[in-house]
Amino acid sequence: MSTTSCWAFEPKSNCSANELLAWLNGIVGADFGEVSELRTGAAYCQAMHYLFPYTIDLRTVVFFTNVKMDCVHNYKLLQSAIDSLRFVIKSKIIPILDITEYRYIPNLHFLIWFKQFYDSHCKNSTSTRDHVAERFNQKIGYGTPTNESVQKYIAVANTKPESIHKAEIIKKLLDIKVGSKSSEKDPKDAMLQSVLAERNSYKKKLNNIEAVCKQYLTKHPFAYKIMKILQDVKIQEKSFTAQGSSKPNELL
């Protein structure tokens, strides 16, 4: 398997940096003002999701941020997506640390490479896509992240395939949760089983004592007295089971 770093060559493009930036903004419905702002990686994640939907879960992408940790997280998702396609394309190593440092040249080089990658794998037109709905109506861009969560947007009903897929996942999770609750044992049943196990353990010990006493029954009067006590216990047990125990075998 061949692995090629993004730094193995200097990407070339017939487009200017502004044209490339406008192209990527158009693909994902964003409004990034500078090439360096693409350090968030969110735009690339959404574009990759369009090309290969099953390689990236957009619910895990941080779309609006300027925090380096979020940017690194997004690029790791993108790298994982590229790695998952190793049987289809040559693997590319993303220079994550250089890109997320808000450096112009690394971001420009990666933008050029991604444009070539996208053009070589895009088969359909993007004109009919709803870019905002794809990311659950979340804002995409470069800035201080807000406290808004994906759950807020999931609540907004729409008919886009992405949202339908999300609804199906939620339904499955809820079914699993309900199923797990129904399968939980009643605490009373668990307590009963514990008591029965303890009683059976003592019953086994008494049976062992009875077996030993039978060996010395004619030699030691003390063994006879123990046997008498054990017989009384058996009589009381039979009386108990006859009065209301529906499963006497569990008590033996």
Side-chain angles (χ1 to χ4, degrees):
M1 181 190 306
S2 60
T3 301
T4 305
S5 170
C6 286
W7 298 120
F9 63 95
E10 182 176 347
K12 297 180 180 180
S13 174
N14 295 326
C15 302
S16 67
N18 289 335
E19 290 174 334
L20 290 171
L21 182 61
W23 166 80
L24 186 58
N25 279 332
I27 286 179
V28 298
D31 190 25
F32 288 98
E34 301 177 8
V35 171
S36 299
E37 293 180 354
L38 299 177
R39 68 185 284 255
T40 66
Y44 297 122
C45 286
Q46 185 169 353
M48 176 64 81
H49 177 268
Y50 175 72
L51 291 178
F52 306 100
Y54 299 103
T55 60
I56 286 188
D57 185 349
L58 292 184
R59 295 168 298 173
T60 61
V61 176
V62 182
F63 283 100
F64 192 89
T65 186
N66 58 5
V67 179
K68 183 175 180 179
M69 181 174 64
D70 294 334
C71 300
V72 171
H73 166 76
N74 287 342
Y75 276 101
K76 285 184 176 180
L77 292 176
L78 184 61
Q79 181 69 71
S80 178
I82 294 175
D83 292 343
S84 69
L85 299 170
R86 60 186 180 276
F87 297 110
V88 180
I89 64 173
K90 290 184 178 181
S91 180
K92 298 290 183 180
I93 300 175
I94 303 175
I96 297 177
L97 295 181
D98 292 323
I99 292 176
T100 55
E101 284 292 341
Y102 202 82
R103 297 175 182 174
Y104 175 78
I105 296 300
N107 276 280
L108 177 60
H109 282 182
F110 188 74
L111 176 57
I112 295 173
W113 174 84
F114 191 84
K115 174 69 163 58
Q116 297 170 350
F117 171 80
Y118 187 93
D119 289 345
S120 63
H121 292 90
C122 183
K123 306 299 181 183
N124 302 315
S125 172
T126 63
S127 58
T128 58
R129 291 170 53 202
D130 190 334
H131 311 95
V132 180
E134 279 183 355
R135 57 178 179 265
F136 306 106
N137 300 330
Q138 293 190 81
K139 181 180 179 181
I140 187 173
Y142 186 82
T144 304
T146 64
N147 294 325
E148 295 176 328
S149 63
V150 177
Q151 285 74 16
K152 173 182 176 181
Y153 301 105
I154 292 173
V156 180
N158 57 66
T159 58
K160 300 300 177 183
E162 187 74 19
S163 299
I164 294 174
H165 176 63
K166 177 64 181 177
E168 291 175 350
I169 293 177
I170 293 177
K171 184 178 183 300
K172 289 180 180 179
L173 291 176
L174 290 176
D175 290 341
I176 293 174
K177 187 175 181 181
V178 172
S180 62
K181 286 185 176 181
S182 62
S183 62
E184 292 178 356
K185 293 183 178 180
D186 191 330
K188 293 181 179 179
D189 292 340
M191 184 180 296
L192 177 60
Q193 294 298 326
S194 176
V195 171
L196 290 175
E198 185 177 3
R199 190 176 188 280
N200 291 338
S201 176
Y202 284 118
K203 178 66 176 177
K204 183 177 181 180
K205 293 178 181 179
L206 290 176
N207 289 336
N208 292 337
I209 293 174
E210 183 179 7
V212 173
C213 289
K214 285 181 178 180
Q215 296 177 11
Y216 299 95
L217 191 59
T218 58
K219 298 179 182 179
H220 299 281
F222 185 69
Y224 176 79
K225 292 181 179 180
I226 295 178
M227 286 292 296
K228 184 67 170 65
I229 295 174
L230 293 176
Q231 291 296 330
D232 292 341
V233 171
K234 285 188 176 183
I235 293 173
Q236 291 178 3
E237 185 181 37
K238 289 180 180 180
S239 176
F240 170 77
T241 56
Q243 289 177 1
S245 175
S246 58
K247 298 181 179 179
N249 291 335
E250 293 184 359
L251 303 175
L252 298 178

